[in-house]
Amino acid sequence: MKIVEKEIPFIQNQSFLLILSLILTMGSLLLMVYHGFNLGIDFKGGIKLQYKLSQSIESGKIQEALTKGTGEKILVQQVGQPSENLYAFELQTPKENIDTFSTKVTEVLKKEFQLETVTLIKEEAVGAKAGSEIFKKGQVSVIVAWILILIYIGFRFDFYFSPGAIVALLHDLLIVLGGFAITGREINLTVLAAFLTILGYSVNDTIIVYDRVRENAKKFKSLPIEDLVNQSINETLSRTIVTSLTMFFVVLVLFIMGSGDIKDFAFAMIIGVVTGTYSSIFIASPIYIFLKKHGHRFGMSA
């Protein structure tokens, strides 16, 4: 499938987009500092319950009844299609026994709303200490993934390529985190899986471009490095677009049709797919060119 017939001057027009990337990443950092993150119970501890009720009830009324009946501040959210009468309840670790808390919630629902059936579909409970440990392990897993990718690219190609790939990964992850900070979407284990998937997707897209750069470098030894990289990007553009759009449409459908954790997972992936495609062209490639031209200043051999 041939999408691009003419060569597009990606590298020649990189300055504006590099400035845009700098603004987006700095903006994301500021959002993370001032807004912070909405961490799920996976990381901060608490209980998450999902109920199916025999009739539809306004979420605000349920929340008011449960707060009054249990003495706990419970967040109530309707999930799925309205006709399904599915509700997710979430609260931080309760004052009483965590194992029997769902029983009390069920009793309050039956008593307050005179429901025929109240079905507990899912129950997840994480202690505060366990949540903190999971959060630390999640951070470590992202850092370890980064280091392994750096080592892999360094040996697979050479160390002129690695810094660009790592900066591109950092760029993508910061923008995704900025998206979660500004929207207040919950970060939980499912979203953490999305972050790791984005790292893999982003580096895969970068490797496609890098691989063609390496092939062309052997064929066209006299070609200026800017023209060599630009030609390589254009030659892989069709594959990049097809792969990215395929992934994008899948996660877009998940975002529109899904709910709860799946919707948050899809939200992260939508941003990650866009930034991963963008960064392989406008972040990783320019850094490779810079190091090929100026790497000797940092002790890198030609």
Side-chain angles (χ1 to χ4, degrees), residues 4-215:
V4 178
E5 298 294 342
K6 294 183 179 180
E7 186 169 291
I8 302 172
F10 290 105
I11 299 302
Q12 288 80 353
N13 295 316
Q14 63 181 276
S15 300
F16 168 74
L17 292 169
L18 284 174
I19 293 172
L20 177 64
S21 291
L22 185 62
I23 293 172
L24 287 174
T25 50
M26 293 302 294
S28 294
L29 284 171
L30 289 174
L31 285 169
M32 285 185 263
V33 171
Y34 289 105
H35 278 225
F37 295 115
N38 175 21
L39 297 178
I41 64 169
D42 297 334
F43 298 137
K44 64 184 180 186
I47 296 178
K48 184 182 284 186
L49 307 171
Q50 186 168 331
Y51 276 90
K52 180 175 178 59
L53 307 182
S54 57
Q55 68 182 63
S56 178
I57 303 172
E58 186 182 332
S59 298
K61 291 182 178 177
I62 297 176
Q63 185 164 320
E64 184 179 349
L66 289 177
T67 302
K68 183 179 177 182
T70 64
E72 303 281 358
K73 186 176 180 181
I74 301 177
L75 178 64
V76 179
Q77 183 181 13
Q78 188 167 15
V79 297
Q81 300 300 319
S83 59
E84 294 178 306
N85 299 332
L86 291 174
Y87 296 87
F89 305 154
E90 185 177 322
L91 74 160
Q92 291 192 19
T93 307
K95 302 176 184 118
E96 65 179 69
N97 191 334
I98 197 169
D99 296 326
T100 59
F101 189 76
S102 60
T103 304
K104 189 169 185 179
V105 170
T106 303
E107 290 174 356
V108 172
L109 289 172
K110 287 181 177 177
K111 180 180 178 183
E112 292 293 326
F113 299 105
Q114 301 297 310
L115 297 170
E116 295 178 5
T117 56
V118 176
T119 307
L120 176 62
I121 296 176
K122 186 168 68 175
E123 179 176 7
E124 297 175 12
V126 180
K129 186 178 179 181
S132 176
E133 289 177 358
I134 292 172
F135 185 60
K136 289 177 183 174
K137 288 180 180 177
Q139 292 174 309
V140 170
S141 65
V142 173
I143 294 171
V144 169
W146 248 321
I147 293 172
L148 291 176
I149 289 169
L150 174 64
I151 294 172
Y152 170 71
I153 294 178
F155 281 100
R156 178 69 174 78
F157 296 92
D158 62 46
F159 282 97
Y160 286 105
F161 291 97
S162 297
I166 296 302
V167 173
L169 291 180
L170 183 62
H171 166 274
D172 298 344
L173 193 57
L174 283 176
I175 292 178
V176 174
L177 288 171
F180 274 80
I182 195 170
T183 60
R185 287 185 174 278
E186 183 178 293
I187 296 180
N188 49 38
L189 284 177
T190 305
V191 173
L192 177 63
F195 292 163
L196 293 173
T197 306
I198 289 168
L199 294 185
Y201 176 82
S202 176
V203 77
N204 178 65
D205 209 46
T206 301
I207 284 176
I208 290 171
V209 176
Y210 277 179
D211 205 36
R212 185 57 58 92
V213 170
R214 188 177 58 172
E215 289 177 9

